[in-house]
């Protein structure tokens, strides 16, 4: 038997983000707490339901009955297991609600999500931040683990042209209003969540020990996919290396400039700050994650609804309104803003109201060039 190759101080000091607190996320988080991890960020928008209890070690019947958010229930259980644990929770969607500045502080992100779009968004965030991530996926008795690292391989590059086209269709703001899609609830078992969650954590720990990866005493799964099938108990390693030099999804955003910008600032304040800071008469902020929608119109006939919301929130807003509920998407038009500059008609709105998350990095164009400006 060999000694434990992992350095305890390294695990305790690591900053780890776990995206998705379902069956797989529960296993990953349990392992991290037992291992002595001390700095975690949890991301999930869902609440605990009774159906989760059969495969989620961190949730209780009371959590389900009171409809607690998964991130809150998980945080409390984890802190009970390891009081030294510092847990930050984000009740939100990985596509929109996690600031790039926050992601840049992570050592590794562990993805425990159940759909391609969420994986695409985790990959984009991690590549922009320049950090590796570990993906896990589970079915009933089969599962996969993959590791992606900037400069090595990329989830989007491995999707192929059809997959990428599908992702482009999922982007908000492509001219039609989208209704929320119910994430596929695939049947799964606690066994497969344990196996796959354990391999994910093991791979995450390896990424914290680059010197051991360099001298060959540890081997990373990066560039390969681990496949496990429980019915016949078979495992496979297959190549997963694609890294297209022209892929726009895996751009690293650098250099990043620190700034005094923050989410509670108004558009007018932010633009004034940027004009001074960048010594530029004209500045514009690109909304790269989601658009801002001021109004929705019917394509034919009368009807105009002021919404003033990020694109992602428009569908739910329409559903609340009897006059607008159930109208086919093809009959509607939404007026979108993707670039915010001096001509934006609502300068009093805050960056947060535009849908920009806290601690994000803004893509700013000025007379003097393009800049990545990190918010506080
Ligand atoms: Zn790529």
């Amino acid at each position: 038997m060999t000694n434990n190759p992992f350095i305890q101080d390294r695990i305790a000091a690591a900053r780890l983000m776990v995206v998705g607190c379902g069956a797989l996320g529960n296993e990953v988080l349990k392992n991290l707490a037992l291992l002595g991890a001390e700095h975690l960020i949890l991301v999930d928008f869902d609440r605990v339901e009774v159906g989760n209890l059969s495969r989620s070690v961190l949730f209780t019947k009371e959590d389900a009955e009171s409809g607690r958010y998964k991130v809150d229930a998980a945080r409390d259980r984890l802190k009970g297991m390891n009081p030294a644990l510092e847990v930050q929770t984000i009740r939100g969607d990985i596509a929109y609600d996690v600031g790039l500045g926050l992601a840049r502080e992570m050592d590794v992100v562990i993805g425990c999500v159940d759909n391609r779009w969420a994986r695409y968004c985790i990959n984009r965030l991690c590549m922009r931040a320049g950090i590796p991530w570990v993906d896990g996926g589970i079915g009933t008795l089969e599962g996969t683990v993959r590791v992606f690292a900037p400069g090595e391989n990329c989830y989007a590059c491995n999707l192929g042209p059809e997959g990428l086209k599908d992702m482009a269709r999922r982007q908000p703001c492509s001219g039609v209003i989208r209704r929320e899609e119910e994430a596929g609830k695939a049947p799964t078992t606690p066994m497969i969540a344990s196996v796959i969650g354990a391999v994910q954590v093991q791979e995450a720990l390896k990424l914290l020990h680059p010197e051991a990866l360099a001298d060959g005493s540890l081997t990373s799964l990066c560039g390969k996919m681990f496949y496990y099938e429980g019915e016949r108990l078979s495992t496979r390693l297959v190549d997963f290396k694609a890294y297209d030099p022209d892929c726009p999804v895996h751009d690293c955003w650098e250099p990043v400039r620190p700034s005094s910008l923050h989410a509670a600032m108004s558009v007018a304040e932010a633009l004034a700050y940027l004009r001074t800071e960048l010594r530029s008469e004209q500045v514009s902020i690109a909304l790269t994650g989601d658009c801002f929608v001021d109004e929705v119109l019917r394509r034919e006939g009368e009807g105009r609804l002021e919404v003033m919301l990020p694109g992602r929130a428009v569908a739910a807003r329409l559903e609340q309104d009897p006059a607008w509920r159930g109208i086919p998407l093809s009959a509607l038009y939404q007026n979108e803003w993707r670039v915010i500059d001096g001509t934006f008609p609502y300068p009093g709105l805050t960056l947060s109201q535009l849908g920009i998350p806290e601690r994000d990095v803004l893509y700013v164009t000025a007379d003097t060039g393009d800049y990545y400006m990190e918010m506080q």
Side-chain angles (χ1 to χ4, degrees), residues 154 156-157 247 249-250:
C154 159
C157 288
C247 165
V249 182
H250 68 236

Side-chain angles (χ1 to χ4, degrees), residues 191-249:
M191 294 85 78
I192 192 67
S194 294
V195 172
I196 296 301
V199 176
Q200 280 184 281
V201 170
Q202 189 172 281
E203 288 305 313
L205 295 187
K206 288 179 189 172
L207 294 169
L208 301 176
H209 298 76
E211 72 289 353
L213 293 172
D215 73 18
S217 54
L218 289 173
T219 303
S220 172
L221 183 62
C222 186
K224 291 194 170 11
M225 174 169 78
F226 170 71
Y227 172 81
Y228 171 90
E229 190 278 309
E231 260 177 64
R232 287 167 208 81
L233 205 69
S234 64
T235 59
R236 273 204 308 275
L237 281 180
V238 294
D239 279 351
F240 220 80
K241 288 189 195 323
Y243 198 75
D244 177 352
D246 299 324
C247 165
V249 182

